[in-house]
Amino acid sequence: MCDSCSSKSSARNQSSKPNLDSSAVLLYYKYKNIDDVAEVVQEQLQLCKKLDLTGRIRISKEGINGTLAGLRAKLNIYTAETSKTFENVDWKFSPLSENETAFDGLHVKAVSCIVGNSTNVTYSFEGTGMHLSPEDFHKKAQQDDTILIDVRNSYEFAIGHFENAVNPSTRCFSR
């Protein structure tokens, strides 16, 4: 995580070696064309049930977006299995304290878009912006002529955001 992230978010994601017997939350998304959404939904549902994971996964023709909780060892198995279909995912782990519960159940569903935005936007994977390494992103974020707009909703922004980022004060993505 780069230095420009807020301290609360950074503190939660810090760990040298994860305790594989402890619980954690896993966040991820990946844009990728999916031909058979129903098949991927069933595969993900079976995998999560087998590993006793809870949370939510949204799958559409444009990709996958998930937030899962479970034992770190089982989440590691999940990421290894899911990486066979979705390559180069930026997996984000956050530890859970012993008394903390993240989700009551498991919801894996087919949706029209992986980010709930209540719009009818069609995405194209052609002509997208340049991918920056964390180091290059940090350099760009430090430039005086850079304005960083953190497009997470207000709740997510309050949990953690990039230093000096502009908060557009959104309740949901479509506003």
Side-chain angles (χ1 to χ4, degrees), residues 16-95:
S16 52
K17 276 191 168 180
N19 177 352
L20 298 180
D21 293 326
S22 66
S23 294
V25 172
L26 171 66
L27 301 136
Y28 67 95
Y29 70 92
K30 182 66 178 181
Y31 284 96
K32 175 185 175 175
N33 288 323
I34 298 176
D35 294 326
D36 192 342
V37 172
E39 179 181 340
V40 176
V41 166
Q42 286 306 307
E43 290 170 356
Q44 287 290 306
L45 186 59
Q46 289 172 7
L47 178 60
C48 290
K49 283 183 177 181
K50 180 174 99 175
L51 297 172
D52 296 317
L53 302 178
T54 59
R56 68 156 186 83
I57 301 174
R58 299 168 58 92
I59 302 168
S60 77
K61 289 197 170 286
E62 69 183 6
I64 187 169
N65 181 343
T67 306
L68 297 171
L71 292 177
R72 179 62 189 252
K74 291 185 176 186
L75 289 169
N76 286 350
I77 295 168
Y78 174 84
T79 61
E81 288 297 315
T82 301
S83 291
K84 293 175 183 176
T85 303
F86 298 94
E87 299 172 351
N88 302 314
V89 175
D90 186 14
W91 307 103
K92 304 278 191 214
F93 290 91
S94 293

Side-chain angles (χ1 to χ4, degrees), residues 43-160:
E43 290 170 356
Q44 287 290 306
L45 186 59
Q46 289 172 7
L47 178 60
C48 290
K49 283 183 177 181
K50 180 174 99 175
L51 297 172
D52 296 317
L53 302 178
T54 59
R56 68 156 186 83
I57 301 174
R58 299 168 58 92
I59 302 168
S60 77
K61 289 197 170 286
E62 69 183 6
I64 187 169
N65 181 343
T67 306
L68 297 171
L71 292 177
R72 179 62 189 252
K74 291 185 176 186
L75 289 169
N76 286 350
I77 295 168
Y78 174 84
T79 61
E81 288 297 315
T82 301
S83 291
K84 293 175 183 176
T85 303
F86 298 94
E87 299 172 351
N88 302 314
V89 175
D90 186 14
W91 307 103
K92 304 278 191 214
F93 290 91
S94 293
L96 283 175
S97 65
E98 287 183 36
N99 300 324
E100 201 172 1
T101 303
F103 305 103
D104 291 332
L106 176 65
H107 305 279
V108 180
K109 61 183 179 177
V111 294
S112 60
C113 57
I114 62 172
V115 177
N117 61 16
S118 303
T119 65
N120 292 322
V121 175
T122 302
Y123 297 98
S124 169
F125 298 109
E126 303 298 320
T128 59
M130 173 181 44
H131 178 78
L132 296 175
S133 69
E135 296 80 14
D136 289 341
F137 175 83
H138 180 69
K139 287 177 189 173
K140 287 277 191 194
Q142 299 305 310
Q143 294 176 352
D144 289 337
D145 61 345
T146 298
I147 298 172
L148 184 60
I149 300 173
D150 196 323
V151 296
R152 291 176 275 197
N153 64 39
S154 294
Y155 171 77
E156 292 168 331
F157 188 91
I159 290 173

